[in-house]
Structure formats: C-alpha cells, structure tokens
Amino acid sequence: MGTETSSMDITEPLVVEKNSPSVSEHVPEWKEQITIRGLVVSAVLGCLFCIITHKLNLTVGVIPSLNVSAGLLGFFFVKSWTSFLSQLGIFTKPFTRQENTVIQTCVVACYGLAFSGGFGSSLIAMDERTYELIGPDYPGNRAKDIINPGLGWMIGFMFVVSFLGLFSLVPLRKVMVLDYKLTYPSGTATAMLINSFHTKTGAELAGNQVRKLGKYLGLSFFWSCFKWFFSGVGDSCGFDNFPSFGLTLFKNTFYFDFSTTYVGCGLICPHIVNCSVLFGAIISWGILWPFVSQHAGDWYPADLGSNDFKGLYGYKVFISIALILGDGIYNLVKIILITVREMYKASSKETSLPTVTEVLDDESSRLQLEEKKREEVFLKDRIPTWFALSGYVGLAAISIGTIPMIFPPLKWYLVLCSYILAPALAFCNSYGCGLTDWSLASTYGKIGLFIVAAAVGQNGGVIAGVASSAVMMSIVATAADLMQDFKTGYLTLSSAKSMFVSQLIGTGMGCIIAPLTFWMFWTAFDIGSPDGPYKAPYAVIFREMAILGVEGFSELPKHCLAMCGGFFAAAIVINLLRDLVPKKYSQYIPIPMAMAVPFYIGAYFAVDMFIGTVILFVWEKLNRRDAEDYAGAVASGLICGDGIWTIPSAVLSIMRIDPPICMYFGPSASS
C-alpha cells in the first residue's frame, strides 16, 4: 500500500549533497554495470521479497515499500562476497554504486510482480474457494465463473502482460525526469541511500545497519520457529490467538498476535498510516460491527453463517469496498488535476519566462557541473523510440491473441481497448507517482474491472472483469516503477539503458519467481479461509466488485447500501480535509484507504502495527538520529526473518508434519 507524500517534501537540491557522485568519478559502461554476481544476488533477494510480499498480500494486503531494504541487502551481499574473495587473494571488480542500483532495480522489478500480478486479489478471485465463500446461491456468483490457479497458466499470463508497461513510457523518460524534473520521492531517497553507501562514512553506517538487520532477522526467524511448536492443528491455537487484552476483546479481534512481520511494518510505515489502521479497527470492530450485530433478525436473518454475504459478512466486505473506492477515486481525480496543472505551469514557464544571466559562486558552479554530468550519463545510452514502440505493439499483439485463451470471457477486442488506453493511464499514474509518491495502479485496475464486468454482462462478466483488472494493474504499476528507477539511475550516474535492461531481467525473473513462490503458499496453506491466517481479503473484494458490476446493488443486506454511500462520502470528505487544512493539522487526519483494511480482516494486525509505531515513536524521542539510521534495518530484519521461516513452515505443511502442541485459551470452567 502506498502512503501519500507531498511533492514538496523532497526537492531537487537535496540530491546534490556530499554523498552525490563527484564530477570526476569514472562511470562504467552500461554493460559493465550489469554483472553475473549482481544478477545472482537479485534472484536470491527477489525470491525472499516475493515470499514476503505474498505473505503480506495474502494476510492483510498492506505492503510497505521494500526498496531501501533491497538496496541495503544488495550492498551487503556483494560487499560480503568481494571481501571474502579478497581475503583468499582473488581479485574482484570493484562494487560500484551503478551495480548497486542495478541490483536494487532488478529486485524491485521482480517482487513488484508479486503484487501487481494480482496473486492476492484478481487471480484468486476466480478460484473455487472464493466462489464457495460468497455462496453458490448468491445472485451473479456463477459456478461457470471459476478458474483455479495453475502454475503453467499463471507463468504464461505473467510473461504476456508484465513487459508491456516497461515499453509504454520509455520514449518519455527524458520528459519525465529531466524536463518536468519530477521528484519521485522513493526513487530519490533510494538514490541518496545508495550514494551514501559508496562513501567511507556511508559504508561504515551501512555495515552497522546490516549487523542490525542480521541480528533482528535471526531473532525474528527463531521466534517464528518457536511459535510454530505451539500452533497445533487448526486455527485457534498458539501465539497467533493469544487473548492479550482478555477474551471479550479477543472475540472482537482485538489482541496482539506476536507477529514480527506486522510489528516490522509498523516500524516502516508512517505513524499516520499505522494510526489510521487502528482507528479503522476501532470504528469497525469496536463500534460498527457490534451495533450491526444487535440488529440480527431484523436487518438480516439471525441464523446465517459467519461468512454469509447476506449477513454481517456482507456489511464488512461492501463497506470496505466503499471506503477503498471513495479514497481511490478521490486520489485519481486529484492526481489528474495536479498533472494537468503542473504540465500547464511547465509549458507556461517555457514560453513566458525571460532569459536571466545568473552569476554563480563556486558551490553553485560545482552543483551545475554535477547536474550536467548526470544529464550526460542519463542521455548517453539511448533507447531508440522505434524499439520501444515496436516492442509495445509486438507484445500487445501476442497478448491480445493469448489472454482470451487463458480467460475466454475476456474477448480480444476488450484486451485491445485496454492496450490502447494503457499508455495514457500509465502516463497519468507515473506522473502522479513522481509528484506524490503514490501509485494508484490498483485504483485503475478496479475501474477497469467495473467497466469490463458491466460491458460483458452476466455471461462471463465476473471472469472478464477481474482478469482485466490484473492486466491493467500490471501495465500501470510497472510503468511507474520503471520511471522511479530511471530517477534513481539518473541520481546515481547509472545508464538509462542498464536501468531498462535490469528492469527487463528483473521482470523476467518475477514472471517465474512470483508464481513459483505463490504456488508454495497455495499448496502448503489453506489460502482464502476466512478463519485461517491467509484470508486473501482482496480475493473476495475483487470478485464482489465484479458481481456488483454485473448485477447492481439489489442483493445487498438491509441498510448496507446507505451505509456504503455514507462511508464512500466520508472517504472523500476526509481526503478533502487532509488537502485543505494546514499541514500541522492534516498530519493527524486518518487515511481512508488504511482505515478500510481492518474493516474486513480484523483488528489484530492493527494492534501489531500500532505497537511498531509506538516503539518507533519512543525511539525517536530518545535518540532521533539512531532511529533514523537503524529503524528501517530493524524493521527489514523482523519482516525478512518471519518471511524466511515461511519456507520451512511450508515444507513441514507439505510433508504433513503438524506442530506438537496446541496452546489454547478459553474461559475458566464455572464452579
């Protein structure tokens, strides 16, 4: 999940600090920036981060940015390898900032497909488990609209859709990075981090960060292993079901489940995101759902199952959808308006500003020379426009012929229309991401879902809708990621061609690694079970959205539509307040998208993330510099350690080896 960052938070002057590459620094040729050792490290980290992304996507759907972790771990692995070989007397090529950037780019391209590929949303929205969860008798939920996950077709689907986004905006890289000077805050921050690694003081700090990461990775791994022994058989055992605040609150999902992953997410995500998630949990599970439950028998039949969409479960899902759509549509309109305004201002400056001769001091002259060097490197290795256009057209042609074979209801002409519109939407998303650091790929996907589902109708509209959302999300997300990486490459004196090639290689890795790591989860765990740890919340949400697009709102529970309208409007009003009031007040206004997540999933992970944010808050008060230097490394260690334990846990599950102990809590027996 993205977090909104004002485009004024990080501006161009910040990137030319003492850690910036010097004017005299030798820049390797683009082919020398891509190394075998770098690709091996990228594949290893790509596997790890795909597992982490799948785990987060299939549990809560909140995914923090792991770009900084990718840069740090890439630095650690290659530096460790070169140091080891040098001690053996074996000469190795120096590890440059350009190679570090290529590794980071490759890893991000790889694990990005674990999210944008729809493995936690659209692809499993079509499966039989999600169909049964909604109910065979639910209007619009047809047994014909089922396509179960298969490793073969998922890998094929990834290959035919994932590369298009890379070719869609390549001709505009100069416009986006140099002409418009878009900030791309995450890309800029990653570049500053990589530049700092390759200085003497920065290398020392990076070494300390790596030691912190390794320490907490080990602690997290062994803690997850320890928890496994008490998790028993079923979904009610172990520390994951520990009634930390008593059994009454436990029934309403308010408890601390000792998850190092979510505590780590709380350390990485901004305070306002974590507080928004907890606020959403309090409103939903603390107030709204108990209130709706009191009207069982009046608003909905009292004898319905806990996962019946005609009952309380329906309120949970549809109100979550309303909040998500309200937030997404508001920000989509906002980004479009900002894009139009900034483009108009840029064109006005070019035509109306007089020429001014500026007298430069030594420092300004140095900065100007550094900027000139960056521009020269960025523009040196050109990617021909004809190559990008022919690549897009050729890949689109293959995709148009292939996708209807995988998803028959999604006809070739619908795929063609998607690819005609995709470059414009990719531009809007990439431009908005450059201004605000917020990618709205999932919003574009949901809008495409509604349109296609409504256009196809009852005869296949559900499959066509969710499949089209996966296609659109993949193109729009990868295009924004590519522009982020072009910005990072520009600031680290990395060749644009090496950035593009590393994106292609990383995407190719992701097309294989993302489905394989997902398949590990799919075969080892009960994915989609509403009572298990891997609820896959967005699978139900995406299928219900498609059904709404086909059937309309007639089958919602009593008062559900009115409540959805109220929360949809509330999301827009809250976002307006965030944008209109002064920043000193708006920083305390919650984010509706973050509030929506616990409405459906539960409050337990909100408690975990809030504990993470409290730890970070106290740490910042005690030693702000220390917190700034090491919080990301500690968080990455916590997340990675738990993620690594997923592999042996999955192997044990596949081998049908159950935990030996079930630690269970219940009320004491009455005397």
Side-chain angles (χ1 to χ4, degrees), residues 354-615:
T355 303
V356 177
T357 303
E358 187 177 0
V359 179
L360 300 176
D361 57 21
D362 291 342
E363 178 67 11
S364 298
S365 179
R366 183 184 67 83
L367 297 181
Q368 192 176 69
L369 286 172
E370 287 182 357
E371 184 172 359
K372 184 178 179 181
K373 175 79 176 274
R374 287 197 299 270
E375 291 182 4
E376 286 177 359
V377 172
F378 188 70
L379 297 174
K380 177 184 174 184
D381 299 310
R382 294 184 178 276
I383 303 166
T385 301
W386 66 264
F387 176 75
L389 293 177
S390 59
Y392 186 84
V393 172
L395 288 169
I398 295 171
S399 188
I400 289 168
T402 306
I403 289 178
M405 297 170 63
I406 303 173
F407 309 114
L410 188 58
K411 303 301 182 184
W412 68 268
Y413 49 85
L414 293 172
V415 182
L416 174 62
C417 291
S418 297
Y419 288 153
I420 291 172
L421 291 173
L425 299 178
F427 173 79
C428 292
N429 190 49
S430 298
Y431 196 103
C433 189
L435 292 171
T436 66
D437 208 27
W438 197 332
S439 174
L440 297 176
S442 61
T443 301
Y444 288 104
K446 294 183 187 86
I447 292 172
L449 183 155
F450 273 116
I451 294 172
V452 172
V456 174
Q458 294 185 346
N459 190 23
V462 171
I463 293 293
V466 292
S468 67
S469 73
V471 171
M472 192 61 69
M473 276 179 62
S474 179
I475 296 173
V476 172
T478 52
D481 287 343
L482 178 63
M483 284 300 159
Q484 285 268 25
D485 290 328
F486 275 146
K487 182 71 174 185
T488 303
Y490 166 71
L491 297 172
T492 57
L493 291 181
S494 302
S495 166
K497 189 174 284 187
S498 70
M499 291 291 92
F500 183 68
V501 172
S502 62
Q503 271 274 355
L504 288 174
I505 295 171
T507 300
M509 289 179 181
C511 289
I512 298 172
I513 293 173
L516 282 174
T517 49
F518 170 78
W519 197 248
M520 180 190 73
F521 281 91
W522 183 259
T523 53
F525 305 111
D526 191 12
I527 303 298
S529 169
D531 301 317
Y534 296 99
K535 295 178 175 64
Y538 283 98
V540 170
I541 288 174
F542 270 61
R543 190 175 183 93
E544 274 293 353
M545 284 181 176
I547 292 172
L548 282 178
V550 173
E551 296 289 327
F553 299 95
S554 59
E555 296 298 325
L556 296 182
K558 191 175 182 181
H559 301 303
C560 185
L561 181 58
M563 295 170 76
C564 288
F567 277 94
F568 181 89
I572 293 174
V573 171
I574 291 171
N575 274 301
L576 273 172
L577 287 173
R578 285 179 55 82
D579 289 334
L580 295 178
V581 303
K583 187 174 181 180
K584 63 180 180 179
Y585 301 117
S586 66
Q587 62 181 332
Y588 300 111
I589 299 176
I591 301 170
M593 185 75 76
M595 290 171 57
V597 179
F599 269 66
Y600 169 59
I601 300 170
Y604 59 93
F605 82 97
V607 174
D608 296 352
M609 291 180 69
F610 187 72
I611 288 173
T613 213
V614 169
I615 292 171

Side-chain angles (χ1 to χ4, degrees), residues 108-434:
V108 171
C110 180
Y111 89 79
L113 292 187
F115 169 72
S116 64
F119 293 98
S121 54
S122 49
L123 295 190
I124 56 173
M126 312 178 201
D127 80 326
E128 189 172 1
R129 164 57 68 85
T130 308
Y131 160 77
E132 292 173 348
L133 188 59
I134 293 175
D137 59 339
Y138 191 86
N141 189 37
R142 306 185 317 156
K144 293 181 180 179
D145 295 326
I146 294 176
I147 298 178
N148 285 312
L151 190 57
W153 73 255
M154 287 192 301
I155 291 176
F157 177 69
M158 287 293 100
F159 271 107
V160 297
V161 302
S162 299
F163 291 92
L164 279 121
L166 302 181
F167 287 90
S168 62
L169 293 185
V170 166
L172 298 179
R173 64 186 178 87
K174 178 179 178 294
V175 174
M176 305 285 266
V177 176
L178 298 183
D179 297 345
Y180 290 150
K181 295 189 182 298
L182 294 175
T183 307
Y184 288 104
S186 289
T188 299
T190 304
M192 293 171 64
L193 180 78
I194 291 174
N195 284 336
S196 73
F197 287 165
H198 296 271
T199 62
K200 185 175 181 180
T201 55
E204 291 175 1
L205 175 60
N208 293 332
Q209 289 173 329
V210 166
R211 282 188 283 275
K212 285 276 188 185
L213 188 149
K215 174 183 176 181
Y216 284 92
L217 184 150
L219 289 173
S220 177
F221 179 85
F222 286 112
W223 171 246
S224 298
C225 177
F226 176 77
K227 286 201 304 178
W228 178 83
F229 283 94
F230 298 89
S231 58
V233 179
D235 302 318
S236 58
C237 302
F239 286 93
D240 291 344
N241 295 277
F242 194 99
S244 322
F245 310 120
L247 291 172
T248 301
L249 287 175
F250 177 78
K251 290 178 181 177
N252 284 335
T253 72
F254 282 95
Y255 58 94
F256 177 47
D257 70 350
F258 297 89
S259 168
T260 53
T261 292
Y262 302 144
V263 173
C265 288
L267 284 166
I268 288 180
C269 291
H271 293 305
I272 186 59
V273 172
N274 300 316
C275 293
S276 297
V277 171
L278 183 64
F279 184 58
I282 292 170
I283 288 177
S284 54
W285 291 90
I287 300 172
L288 188 59
W289 304 150
F291 171 76
V292 174
S293 299
Q294 291 175 0
H295 293 82
D298 179 16
W299 290 7
Y300 59 90
D303 57 347
L304 295 177
S306 60
N307 301 316
D308 196 313
F309 274 82
K310 296 185 178 70
L312 179 62
Y313 195 64
Y315 292 91
K316 295 177 184 177
V317 171
F318 289 114
I319 291 176
S320 298
I321 291 173
L323 268 175
I324 290 168
L325 287 179
D327 187 282
I329 290 173
Y330 174 89
N331 282 288
L332 176 62
V333 173
K334 171 186 167 183
I335 294 298
I336 291 173
L337 292 176
I338 290 174
T339 300
V340 172
R341 185 189 68 190
E342 294 298 322
M343 291 176 68
Y344 174 76
K345 285 168 66 176
S347 62
S348 299
K349 284 182 181 179
E350 290 176 5
T351 57
S352 62
L353 286 180
T355 303
V356 177
T357 303
E358 187 177 0
V359 179
L360 300 176
D361 57 21
D362 291 342
E363 178 67 11
S364 298
S365 179
R366 183 184 67 83
L367 297 181
Q368 192 176 69
L369 286 172
E370 287 182 357
E371 184 172 359
K372 184 178 179 181
K373 175 79 176 274
R374 287 197 299 270
E375 291 182 4
E376 286 177 359
V377 172
F378 188 70
L379 297 174
K380 177 184 174 184
D381 299 310
R382 294 184 178 276
I383 303 166
T385 301
W386 66 264
F387 176 75
L389 293 177
S390 59
Y392 186 84
V393 172
L395 288 169
I398 295 171
S399 188
I400 289 168
T402 306
I403 289 178
M405 297 170 63
I406 303 173
F407 309 114
L410 188 58
K411 303 301 182 184
W412 68 268
Y413 49 85
L414 293 172
V415 182
L416 174 62
C417 291
S418 297
Y419 288 153
I420 291 172
L421 291 173
L425 299 178
F427 173 79
C428 292
N429 190 49
S430 298
Y431 196 103
C433 189

